[in-house]
Amino acid sequence: MAGNMDLLDCPLCDFTVRPTDDYILQLHFEQVHTEDSPFVVKNDPEPLPPSRGSSSKRKHEQDTTSSDEEENTVACPEPDCGEVVLLDDYNDHLDFHAAETLSFDKTTGEYYSHHSSSNMHKSAAKHNSQRRSSKAASSDYRYDTDSLDGSRKSDSHGKKKHHRERRGTDSSEKSTLARSILSFNPFKLDKSVKPPNKSARLGKSELGPYAWEDRMPRWLHDQLAAGPKITVVNRIGRDGRLIKQEQVQNETAGVIPILAQLSALDRTVKEAYYCHPSTLHIGKTPKEGSFCGYRNIQMLISYIQGAKAQGHEEFSGRMPGILKLQELIERAWDKGINHIGRIQTGGIKDTRKYIGTPEAQALFLSSEIDCAVEMFSDQDLPEGKVQAHDLLLLAVERYFAQAAVSDGSSVHKTLLPPIYLQRPGHSITIVGFERRSETYCNLVVLDPVYATSPAMHKLIGRKNIKSSRPEVMHAYRRGPAHLRKFAAFEILMLTATPPLFPAWDV
């Protein structure tokens, strides 16, 4: 140990981990400092078809796009995951994998995880002890709400509003967005918006490890084309009759009403907000890899379908799969919406290239679904005052509060759509917001990387939960300690007036 007795240091760089995470330190050393390591994230071993350009030019482009970004990522060791994770996010990533297997033991009355590398009892105990003291919560996260008025906003016509001057500080210690919506202008109506600084073909740091592939492996294409497995189960209805119900492999309905109940039962939650309850938790299928952008688009579409919101006619029938969404994005580019994305990506059809907010925006605008985008970046804020995640949390609270109806409860059940959230390297879907005190709050999210745990499945459908379940809520909460790792965020919101029928009472 060097300098700090509480941390393990890498002998060749400044990377540090907790003493209990010695495996992560070994993995870091293999990933960053060892040649020919099997842990280093490499391109798809399956041969790609011949390039349409010269091979020498292609090789030069690939070499020049190998940046320091690759040294800051690591492949998840979970066999069915396939994600490439930022090193700063690695501990949280494994922790949420542990939460996937959370179950309740009736004999002991405790929650436990089947995950081989987890220690959920200690994690939950530590989590609970931190929340029991409002003083401890306040010391973890403070901001002055009067100063949080800075953000960048884009409506469905591509117009931006700039509220703060750019500061000249170096934020290289934190991750920033590889591709920002600010470099796109869907309808070219705002001449003040400059064209993209980087309109040429992008590489691995922006598009992921498969940035240069012309097609994904055949087995994966076939798996995505077949769609998730669908089974039919028999259930007993409230009237005692037998009901046949379809269950989709990677979709979970009914999660949001349970989260709302658990927020209401948590004494540390002073006020909470939740989106429309029809939103599904949609995750990945085994070994598919990083398609989080598409999965989050699907979650927004699940709201559109379930609530019969604006554009539901465009998505009748079953949920469109990843290959279909790729076609819709390419079709939006054909219409000229964010079409610079085609140049930057080289096309996404039948590939595993990462997508982001620009592609989600293009898809919805192409389907004539109103949406708005807002960006928060450390580079646009005065140094030492607030950070990007401060403004993100305030904006989400403001979004939900606009539709909150007071019924005497601390939990406001709205009919608003969920929010697409892009942060460096990953995207998730915001379905709720919890304020724990005047100075502490967190997002409630559905993350497509992680499956719904057995513990949550046991609760779904219940309307009379009597006690809080902080262990279950842990998988869905993203607080300041997690969010402050990132220097920039983008949110995409569906802005059409939501339907007004009482969905929460159904």
Side-chain angles (χ1 to χ4, degrees), residues 256-257 260 274-277 412-415 463 501-506:
I256 293 174
Y274 281 92
C275 73
H276 198 285
H412 304 284
K413 303 170 183 177
T414 78
L415 298 175
K463 294 187 177 181
F501 61 87
W504 286 89
D505 300 330
V506 176

Side-chain angles (χ1 to χ4, degrees), residues 1-2 7-17 24-30 32-34 87:
M1 297 185 186
L7 297 174
L8 294 177
D9 297 341
C10 174
L12 298 181
C13 70
D14 295 333
F15 184 76
T16 61
V17 296
I24 296 175
L25 182 59
Q26 296 175 26
L27 199 60
H28 160 78
F29 195 91
E30 285 277 352
V32 178
H33 303 298
T34 305
L87 282 173

Side-chain angles (χ1 to χ4, degrees), residues 28-222:
H28 160 78
F29 195 91
E30 285 277 352
Q31 167 76 11
V32 178
H33 303 298
T34 305
E35 294 184 2
D36 299 325
S37 168
F39 295 98
V40 174
V41 180
K42 298 180 180 178
N43 212 337
D44 184 13
E46 176 174 305
L48 300 179
S51 171
R52 288 183 288 270
S54 76
S55 59
S56 60
K57 180 180 178 181
R58 177 70 165 268
K59 185 178 187 302
H60 172 72
E61 288 173 336
Q62 290 178 332
D63 290 343
T64 54
T65 55
S66 295
S67 66
D68 292 338
E69 287 280 330
E70 293 182 57
E71 294 187 358
N72 295 326
T73 60
V74 63
C76 175
E78 289 293 312
D80 287 338
C81 181
E83 293 284 336
V84 178
V85 186
L86 292 171
L87 282 173
D88 287 344
D89 200 32
Y90 190 74
N91 283 350
D92 286 342
H93 183 81
L94 290 185
D95 188 34
F96 292 129
H97 269 312
E100 284 182 295
T101 64
L102 190 69
S103 297
F104 183 72
D105 189 337
K106 292 183 179 180
T107 59
T108 63
E110 294 182 350
Y111 283 95
Y112 67 96
S113 172
H114 304 284
H115 195 273
S116 59
S117 64
S118 71
N119 195 343
M120 288 297 292
H121 293 299
K122 291 183 179 179
S123 175
K126 180 180 178 182
H127 193 61
N128 290 335
S129 65
Q130 289 175 341
R131 293 183 311 180
R132 288 192 188 101
S133 169
S134 60
K135 181 178 179 181
S138 299
S139 64
D140 181 47
Y141 179 55
R142 290 182 179 277
Y143 63 64
D144 177 9
T145 54
D146 293 336
S147 68
L148 302 184
D149 59 353
S151 64
R152 290 188 172 189
K153 198 168 188 178
S154 166
D155 63 18
S156 60
H157 296 291
K159 298 179 181 178
K160 279 76 176 177
K161 299 178 182 178
H162 305 276
H163 299 289
R164 292 194 181 272
E165 295 182 1
R166 192 177 186 85
R167 64 171 176 154
T169 56
D170 180 15
S171 60
S172 60
E173 298 166 356
K174 293 165 65 176
S175 301
T176 56
L177 292 170
R179 298 176 67 228
S180 169
I181 195 69
L182 290 181
S183 63
F184 292 81
N185 187 7
F187 297 106
K188 301 180 181 179
L189 296 179
D190 188 355
K191 295 182 180 179
S192 66
V193 178
K194 297 180 180 179
N197 294 326
K198 196 174 183 181
S199 60
R201 181 71 161 82
L202 303 179
K204 292 184 179 180
S205 62
E206 298 89 4
L207 305 175
Y210 305 108
W212 297 100
E213 76 174 2
D214 293 321
R215 61 175 177 84
M216 66 179 70
R218 172 53 59 181
W219 68 265
L220 181 56
H221 177 277
D222 292 344

Side-chain angles (χ1 to χ4, degrees), residues 219-231:
W219 68 265
L220 181 56
H221 177 277
D222 292 344
Q223 176 178 308
L224 296 177
K229 296 179 181 178
I230 300 175
T231 56

Side-chain angles (χ1 to χ4, degrees), residues 268-322:
T268 69
V269 175
K270 305 305 180 185
E271 197 167 26
Y273 305 86
Y274 281 92
C275 73
H276 198 285
S278 67
T279 306
L280 303 177
H281 184 185
I282 301 179
K284 62 170 61 180
T285 52
K287 300 180 180 180
E288 73 175 37
S290 302
F291 287 109
C292 59
Y294 299 100
R295 296 304 185 191
N296 288 296
I297 290 173
Q298 287 179 326
M299 285 194 251
L300 266 62
I301 292 175
S302 75
Y303 153 78
I304 292 172
Q305 292 177 324
K308 290 185 169 34
Q310 183 191 47
H312 69 91
E313 301 90 352
E314 296 288 320
F315 301 106
S316 59
R318 294 197 180 277
M319 178 66 62
I322 288 174

Side-chain angles (χ1 to χ4, degrees), residues 228-493:
K229 296 179 181 178
I230 300 175
T231 56
V232 179
V233 297
N234 294 323
R235 304 188 69 173
I236 303 297
R238 292 182 180 179
D239 57 0
R241 291 188 296 179
L242 192 66
I243 301 174
K244 291 187 179 294
Q245 187 177 55
E246 284 190 347
Q247 290 186 343
V248 183
Q249 178 187 17
N250 65 334
E251 297 180 7
T252 308
V255 172
I256 293 174
I258 300 303
L259 295 175
Q261 287 186 70
L262 297 182
S263 287
L265 291 165
D266 191 330
R267 294 181 179 179
T268 69
V269 175
K270 305 305 180 185
E271 197 167 26
Y273 305 86
Y274 281 92
C275 73
H276 198 285
S278 67
T279 306
L280 303 177
H281 184 185
I282 301 179
K284 62 170 61 180
T285 52
K287 300 180 180 180
E288 73 175 37
S290 302
F291 287 109
C292 59
Y294 299 100
R295 296 304 185 191
N296 288 296
I297 290 173
Q298 287 179 326
M299 285 194 251
L300 266 62
I301 292 175
S302 75
Y303 153 78
I304 292 172
Q305 292 177 324
K308 290 185 169 34
Q310 183 191 47
H312 69 91
E313 301 90 352
E314 296 288 320
F315 301 106
S316 59
R318 294 197 180 277
M319 178 66 62
I322 288 174
L323 300 180
K324 178 62 177 178
L325 295 180
Q326 289 181 336
E327 290 181 8
L328 293 176
I329 293 169
E330 295 260 4
R331 189 181 305 170
W333 289 342
D334 291 339
K335 296 178 180 179
I337 304 174
N338 291 357
H339 64 281
I340 192 66
R342 173 172 283 144
I343 299 173
Q344 293 182 334
T345 63
I348 60 171
K349 191 172 182 180
D350 202 17
T351 75
R352 291 172 286 179
K353 298 168 189 175
Y354 292 173
I355 64 167
T357 318
E359 284 70 46
Q361 184 192 43
L363 184 148
F364 288 118
L365 292 180
S366 177
S367 300
E368 299 184 355
I369 297 172
D370 299 334
C371 62
V373 173
E374 195 166 353
M375 180 183 180
F376 314 93
S377 173
D378 282 351
Q379 294 180 346
D380 302 308
L381 301 172
E383 187 173 7
K385 189 69 174 177
V386 292
Q387 294 178 310
H389 72 276
D390 296 317
L391 297 183
L392 168 67
L393 290 166
L394 186 70
V396 173
E397 183 177 31
R398 189 165 51 225
Y399 169 83
F400 282 114
Q402 68 177 325
V405 177
S406 179
D407 61 356
S409 170
S410 62
V411 177
H412 304 284
K413 303 170 183 177
T414 78
L415 298 175
L416 290 172
I419 301 172
Y420 180 109
L421 171 62
Q422 181 73 51
R423 55 86 161 164
H426 188 44
S427 59
I428 53 182
T429 298
I430 301 172
V431 297
F433 177 91
E434 291 179 324
R435 177 163 288 284
R436 318 286 276 283
S437 70
E438 289 299 319
T439 55
Y440 187 92
C441 51
N442 58 261
L443 305 177
V444 184
V445 308
L446 301 179
D447 194 322
V449 169
Y450 311 106
T452 305
S453 69
M456 173 56 83
H457 276 295
K458 286 285 186 181
L459 296 174
I460 289 176
R462 290 182 56 180
K463 294 187 177 181
N464 59 344
I465 302 173
K466 300 298 184 183
S467 59
S468 63
R469 304 287 202 281
E471 299 89 349
V472 176
M473 286 294 294
H474 172 67
Y476 300 92
R477 285 170 168 157
R478 299 293 185 273
H482 175 80
L483 296 172
R484 65 164 57 101
K485 297 176 185 178
F486 310 109
F489 303 90
E490 287 177 343
I491 56 175
L492 182 147
M493 300 157 287

